[in-house]
Amino acid sequence: MNTALRQYLSRRNYEQGTQPSGARHRASNEPLRFVVQKHATRRAHYDLHLEVGGEFKSWAIPRGPSSDPEDTRLALKSKDHSLEYGEFEGSVPDGECGAGDVIVWDTGVYSPDGDGNFFFGDREEAEMRVEQALADGRLSLFFWGYKLAGSWMLELREGSEREWLLVKREDVFAEPARDLLGEERSVLSGRTLEDLRDEATDVEARRRRA
Ligand code: MN
């Protein structure tokens, strides 16, 4: 495990006392969380993580989300992630799974909204509905994040097992003209991926001089 990630996890454990991570969320009635990481691998992409059942269900979105309802984006189902990993920001070293710099591009809470009802205040019902919708290959969900907001559709492409499509649904939060991906800074630290890379370069330069 890389140093930044280990530090992050130990800090979390400290903040949460001796509770096993994840337990806090299952025990509470807080809304379900989502995270979108921007991930600089050989091909930079966005990773969407939806909290359900004590972990993150995850999709890689090569071109990133769009707030234009006319603009459907491919979302490739990836492996599930632990809640810790999905919130991570920093550098994953070469040779490790997911190597490359990562920022938390957006985060917030979400609720299934398929029948026009929200379940921000009922975690159990929300999780049940999300699990069922994912099994059915069609999840309508409402994001309440720093950048993503309103109703979105995540739908399994017909005949595919891995290819989903993410599209903004028509509502007051749809903004066809908005340059969503131009809002490139981490919502946690204000850093861009370039900032992260420059910091890593500085650390390396200092190490060489030492
Ligand atoms: Mn990724």
Side-chain angles (χ1 to χ4, degrees):
M1 194 186 289
N2 85 77
T3 315
L5 180 55
R6 199 183 306 118
Q7 281 170 356
Y8 173 83
L9 292 177
S10 63
R11 192 165 62 241
R12 273 183 63 94
N13 290 342
Y14 174 73
E15 282 165 1
Q16 292 173 20
T18 54
Q19 264 190 356
S21 45
R24 172 176 70 109
H25 305 290
R26 278 194 295 278
S28 77
N29 203 29
E30 290 168 32
L32 297 173
R33 289 176 303 143
F34 79 91
V35 177
V36 181
Q37 291 167 322
K38 189 175 178 185
H39 190 182
T41 52
R42 201 153 39 85
R43 290 195 65 182
H45 59 273
Y46 295 77
D47 291 302
L48 168 66
H49 304 289
L50 300 178
E51 182 195 5
V52 63
E55 61 185 1
F56 279 122
K57 300 288 178 196
S58 305
W59 289 259
I61 306 175
R63 295 176 59 215
S66 168
S67 50
D68 181 353
E70 303 276 297
D71 208 353
T72 301
R73 295 291 162 92
L74 182 65
L76 297 166
K77 187 78 186 70
S78 50
K79 67 179 173 57
D80 300 340
H81 286 76
S82 71
L83 296 178
E84 289 71 32
Y85 199 89
E87 290 180 337
F88 175 71
E89 177 166 300
S91 295
V92 180
D94 291 345
E96 290 191 25
C97 180
D101 291 343
V102 176
I103 57 166
V104 174
W105 180 79
D106 195 21
T107 189
V109 295
Y110 81 98
S111 166
D113 70 346
D115 57 4
N117 292 309
F118 301 124
F119 300 91
F120 287 105
D122 188 346
R123 162 169 289 255
E124 204 181 315
E125 181 69 24
E127 289 196 302
M128 225 170 60
R129 284 173 179 250
V130 170
E131 273 164 6
Q132 185 59 56
L134 290 178
D136 294 343
R138 188 179 160 83
L139 171 65
S140 178
L141 72 171
F142 195 97
F143 286 123
W144 196 250
Y146 292 91
K147 294 172 184 168
L148 300 187
S151 190
W152 296 64
M153 180 62 77
L154 184 60
E155 196 167 9
L156 186 61
R157 201 176 224 176
E158 215 170 300
S160 177
E161 289 182 0
R162 224 195 128 213
E163 294 183 6
W164 295 65
L165 299 170
L166 179 70
V167 64
K168 179 77 197 75
R169 298 180 72 194
E170 289 282 0
D171 63 12
V172 295
F173 297 97
E175 292 179 274
R178 180 176 173 191
D179 179 16
L180 188 59
L181 301 183
E183 300 167 30
E184 58 180 2
R185 291 182 179 281
S186 160
V187 295
L188 297 188
S189 67
R191 296 182 297 182
T192 63
L193 277 172
E194 288 66 36
D195 293 337
L196 219 65
R197 199 174 51 212
D198 292 347
E199 284 168 26
T201 309
D202 289 350
V203 169
E204 185 57 32
R206 276 201 298 275
R207 193 179 293 144
R208 287 220 180 101
R209 279 200 300 274

